[in-house]
Amino acid sequence: MYKEMNAAWSKVQLSPYLFSVYTVKKSWFLMCLLIITILLFFSNGIEGSSRSKKVTDIGAIIDINCLSGKEAKTAMKIAVQNFNSGSKRHQLSLHFKHSSGDPLQAADAAEGLIKEMNVKVLIVMRTWDEAALVADIGNRAEIPILSFTAPAITPPLVSVRWPFLIRMASDASQTMKCIAALVHSYSWKRVVVIYEDDMLGGESGKLALLSEALRDVGSEIEYRLALPPISFLSKPEDVIQEELIKVLKTIQCRVFVVLQSSFPMVAHLFERANKLGLAGKDTSWIVANSIADSLDTFEASVISSMEGTLGLKTYYPSNTAYYRSFKEKFRRVFRLEHPDEDGFVPGVEALKAYDSITIISQAIERLNGNTSVPKMLLKILSYGNFTGLSGQIHLEAGQLSHAPMVIVNVVGKKYKELGFWLPNNGFSDTLTALKGRETLRSEDGSGPVIWPGNLRERDPKGWAMPNEKEPMKIIVPSRTSFEKFVSFPSGGKRPVGFCIELFYEVLKILNYSLPHQFEPHDGPYDEMIQYVYEKQYDAAVGDITILAERTKYVEFTQPYLESGLSMIVPAEPDDSMWLFVKPFKLKLWITTGAIFIYTSIVVWFLERQNNPASPRVKGSWKTQIGTSIWFTFSSLFFAHRENINSKLGRVVVASWLCVVFILTSSYSAGLTSMLTVKRMNPHFSYVDDLRRDKLYVGCDNDSFVKNYLEKVIDLDPNRIRVLDNIKNYTDEFEKHNLAAAFLELPYEKVFLNQYCKSYASTGATYRFGGFSFAFQKGSPIATDFSKAILKLLENGRLNELNDIWFAPSSECSNNGRDDNDVESLTLRSFWGVYVSYGVISLICIFVVVFQLKYKGQAKDNNNSNPSQEVEMMNYFGNGERNNSPGRMLPGFARKRSMEPRNSAKWESVSTSDTAA
């Protein structure tokens, strides 16, 4: 009982405490309920606010395994975040899918994004193969596709086949033209193209464009090195080394163009190239923009192995505040997401990824978030135009216009910019240049480029240059018909002759050493050309003729001697008894005789009226004709003694004396030359004589000469004899086994310098390309030799060598060529003189006839004298109209008084006078 009462009392004492505890708990509960209510209110408000924004879903297909894919993902997330935070009405939702670089996986990812995420736009990052498959899916779903790649050669119906495809990249044509311009700038004729094949032949378009661009500048692709995808190789360094060794042993070209390659493949490629010596002096490497755009992300060791490489880098403005702000934010985000990567500097792919979100956001803003009409969205996207992080984004019909490129040079562990290359303008120092340069080099020829092997003093030859260990192998003919050009002395290893001395003169001009060794060849010259073509020898030196057929196989230098085919025949000195008539051609002699007779008649006609006492106009017709001819003939020697009384007659005689002076001077000069210069009379002069009479001819042992005689000159092959020594020609001629010999002009000069007394060159000369040295196709040494030969021509050294080696013998030193150098004069040479004289004499005759007619008319009017007909008859009669002594010339009077009276001449004159 006591215990129960005690417990009841205890409860009574504790009840106030319990009441207070209960009251506190209830207050905290109400406060928490109030806070939750407030949070729910604001939460519903925020959710309602966010739901009021229109959300557009965007899909992106990337390769997260590669660095460029990681950078692109980071850049797009930053772009979406910037847009969502700044837009009050619209919001972007970005969804990523991984493609692993597989086109089929990319297509599957595209279908998943369209069906599951209901995306309105798709972005494709990797290859054109992925973009093409995704574009097919976009056509069916009517979803715009933004591709960061484009086909190398844009198909003509690309807009019809893929109407929903937008290519935020230009085709490869301008890139290939830029590479070709670089090759042409440094005079490289051949290149080796290296690319990592995608197993689908994706680089075939670029190869075709590059081949065409190189052909436009006179160069070509010599070798294509296609490397398998590195993902298929367990030991890629071994495969690369094996392929490079093939190039090292079989290809002389050392200009390497890397079109496309993954970053791991680039690292292995340059590492092995350095070890094999393919990245040393006189080599050059060019990487396309697909590689150069990521130089900022390469490791320091890879950059160091690319020392001296030229790169084509897509230009983007990196000095703007816009770019610097993005760069800082990108580095922070990328470092947090990928702490193991070193790519903290955004590459071009990251910039393009950011710009792709920008162009989409601009289109959505213009459509006010209404993306239910895909064609409207496509239309706006296809003509975007703004300045983004990657430069000027200008789309035309869904294609990005061509952008300028920067030419960079890898130096040390970084690179430097050399200049710009602008489409349709060429190289330039600035982006605003109206007219570009053809080369990156300065005016003095020394460029700012640091080449592989630290070559600075000159540009690389881009060729496997000889050295002391591997000297240049030169093939030289050991057996020639004319040893003055080239020959091997008995027991000697070094050839001698004009061609060899010229070779060493060229070496003195070159600005680099050229270790070499000569190897003799006893065989046709065409075989030497074939050996050089097959790369058994580096060059052929000797008296080699340039022929069109040979240019298909080798590279010829500038010709150093004129070449052609000439005919040599036996000849005798021209001691003809009729040599004195040869200064004039037959037509000229006939015309001169006709002019002589014409002059006699004209002088007789003009002197009848004014000098009737002259024997030329007095006496019988026979006497008059003889005297007139004698006067004209004596004027040829300026020995005439009779004076001319008629003024018009004096004009004619003066003109005739001028003609006589010109004729006699020309005749004397021509005859003097013919008597002074030795003339040879060849047995015959025409090839037709050889064909008609089926005579034997000789020729040099070079096969092309014999073929030329058979096919071009059409000589009987059975009548052609091949001779291999200059002495054999003279022996065959003396034995009358040969009627003629066909020699090239340099050989003809040597032959006639020695045998000018017995042989002469006659007939037409059949021209060829000249004597030259031959090198392998594309060899820059051939170009250097050509320049050196031109210098030797300009400074006269080549002429000096000609005089030394081909000096004529003492018997022929004053004769020159033993052919008919002095030609007879033709009527054409004096045609102007004769025409002028004829016009003057005819004018004088017309004046006399006019005077006679005028006097006759005057007498008819007076009716006191005979008529015109009578006046003319009297004039052409005996000419004695006034026999007074005053009408007689003083000279004639003195001569008449001094002549004996019983002279027959004067008897005839007296008879005439009496008759009159």
Side-chain angles (χ1 to χ4, degrees), residues 619-870:
S620 64
W621 284 102
K622 182 178 180 180
T623 302
Q624 295 180 39
I625 293 173
T627 305
S628 299
I629 293 176
W630 171 255
F631 171 80
T632 308
F633 180 77
S634 63
S635 66
L636 293 174
F637 308 98
F638 302 97
H640 54 283
R641 297 181 179 180
E642 297 183 4
N643 293 331
I644 304 298
N645 192 49
S646 171
K647 294 181 180 179
L648 295 176
R650 292 173 183 174
V651 173
V652 172
V653 171
S655 302
W656 168 247
L657 292 178
C658 291
V659 175
V660 168
F661 175 76
I662 295 173
L663 285 173
T664 55
S665 300
S666 301
Y667 178 84
S668 300
L671 184 61
T672 302
S673 299
M674 290 183 177
L675 293 174
T676 303
V677 178
K678 183 178 72 66
R679 294 170 54 84
M680 301 295 292
N681 185 23
H683 291 179
F684 57 89
S685 302
Y686 301 103
V687 177
D688 293 338
D689 300 337
L690 300 175
R691 299 194 197 97
R692 183 186 64 248
D693 300 335
K694 296 183 179 181
L695 302 176
Y696 283 94
V697 299
C699 68
D700 191 28
N701 60 2
D702 198 343
S703 59
F704 95 88
V705 176
K706 186 174 185 297
N707 293 335
Y708 191 89
L709 295 178
E710 294 176 6
K711 298 178 180 179
V712 180
I713 303 181
D714 195 25
L715 296 179
D716 186 356
N718 298 323
R719 301 286 175 173
I720 301 175
R721 294 181 176 178
V722 178
L723 306 175
D724 56 3
N725 190 280
I726 187 173
K727 189 67 172 60
N728 293 343
Y729 286 95
T730 57
D731 292 342
E732 294 294 319
F733 276 124
E734 291 173 0
K735 295 176 182 177
H736 303 287
N737 294 333
L738 292 182
F742 286 88
L743 298 177
E744 293 186 70
L745 290 181
Y747 302 152
E748 175 212 43
K749 180 178 180 180
V750 174
F751 186 86
L752 294 182
N753 281 347
Q754 188 171 351
Y755 300 105
C756 63
K757 296 291 185 181
S758 305
Y759 302 93
S761 171
T762 183
T765 299
Y766 306 91
R767 299 290 178 180
F768 300 127
F771 280 6
S772 175
F773 300 147
F775 292 84
Q776 292 182 13
K777 273 287 189 180
S779 172
I781 304 177
T783 303
D784 295 340
F785 263 63
S786 295
K787 295 177 182 178
I789 290 172
L790 290 175
K791 289 183 180 179
L792 292 175
L793 280 169
E794 294 169 1
N795 61 25
R797 179 55 181 163
L798 189 55
N799 292 331
E800 293 178 6
L801 293 178
N802 271 283
D803 296 339
I804 293 173
W805 282 95
F806 307 130
S809 63
S810 57
E811 296 179 352
C812 303
S813 58
N814 297 323
N815 293 310
R817 289 186 60 182
D818 299 355
D819 55 1
N820 299 334
D821 290 325
V822 183
E823 296 183 356
S824 301
L825 295 173
T826 63
L827 177 60
R828 186 180 181 86
S829 304
F830 298 94
W831 186 250
V833 176
Y834 285 164
V835 170
S836 301
Y837 169 68
V839 170
I840 294 174
S841 59
L842 287 175
I843 291 175
C844 294
I845 292 173
F846 290 151
V847 170
V848 170
V849 172
F850 178 78
Q851 290 177 350
L852 291 175
K853 185 176 181 181
Y854 178 78
K855 289 179 181 180
Q857 289 178 352
K859 291 179 180 181
D860 288 343
N861 294 334
N862 294 333
N863 294 322
S864 60
N865 291 311
S867 63
Q868 298 180 34
E869 291 78 5
V870 175

Side-chain angles (χ1 to χ4, degrees), residues 390-582:
S390 59
Q392 183 65 32
I393 305 297
H394 180 62
L395 294 171
E396 293 182 356
Q399 172 77 50
L400 184 68
S401 61
H402 294 290
M405 283 179 281
V406 184
I407 310 301
V408 298
N409 181 209
V410 178
V411 180
K413 296 182 179 180
K414 55 183 180 180
Y415 62 86
K416 65 176 181 178
E417 296 183 357
L418 302 178
F420 298 94
W421 192 84
L422 309 176
N424 303 322
N425 280 329
F427 297 110
S428 173
D429 294 326
T430 63
L431 288 172
T432 57
L434 298 178
K435 185 177 180 180
R437 296 184 280 115
E438 294 183 356
T439 176
L440 290 173
R441 290 171 288 184
S442 57
E443 295 182 357
D444 60 359
S446 59
V449 183
I450 304 300
W451 297 105
N454 201 27
L455 181 64
R456 297 174 181 266
E457 63 274 9
R458 59 177 175 83
D459 296 328
K461 298 299 179 182
W463 198 256
M465 299 299 289
N467 50 53
E468 295 298 336
K469 294 182 179 180
E470 297 181 359
M472 183 170 64
K473 296 171 61 177
I474 302 175
I475 188 171
V476 179
S478 61
R479 181 171 55 87
T480 60
S481 301
F482 298 87
E483 295 181 350
K484 283 193 174 183
F485 290 92
V486 60
S487 64
F488 278 86
S490 57
K493 295 183 178 180
R494 176 178 170 179
V496 295
F498 169 80
C499 299
I500 303 303
E501 188 165 349
L502 175 61
F503 176 82
Y504 283 110
E505 288 292 333
V506 170
L507 293 186
K508 295 177 183 179
I509 298 178
L510 299 180
N511 60 349
Y512 54 88
S513 62
L514 200 66
H516 59 276
Q517 64 181 26
F518 295 109
E519 296 189 15
H521 171 72
D522 186 7
Y525 282 32
D526 285 340
E527 282 187 6
M528 296 195 304
I529 299 298
Q530 187 67 25
Y531 289 154
V532 175
Y533 171 70
E534 294 173 354
K535 300 181 180 179
Q536 298 183 31
Y537 294 92
D538 299 305
V541 171
D543 47 342
I544 304 171
T545 305
I546 301 176
L547 300 175
E549 184 66 22
R550 291 175 177 176
T551 58
K552 299 177 182 179
Y553 305 101
V554 295
E555 193 90 24
F556 283 106
T557 66
Q558 171 76 19
Y560 56 83
L561 284 179
E562 183 183 8
S563 177
L565 204 59
S566 181
M567 186 170 68
I568 304 294
V569 296
E572 298 175 354
D574 190 0
D575 298 330
S576 173
M577 60 182 294
W578 298 104
L579 182 63
F580 69 93
V581 300
K582 289 189 176 181

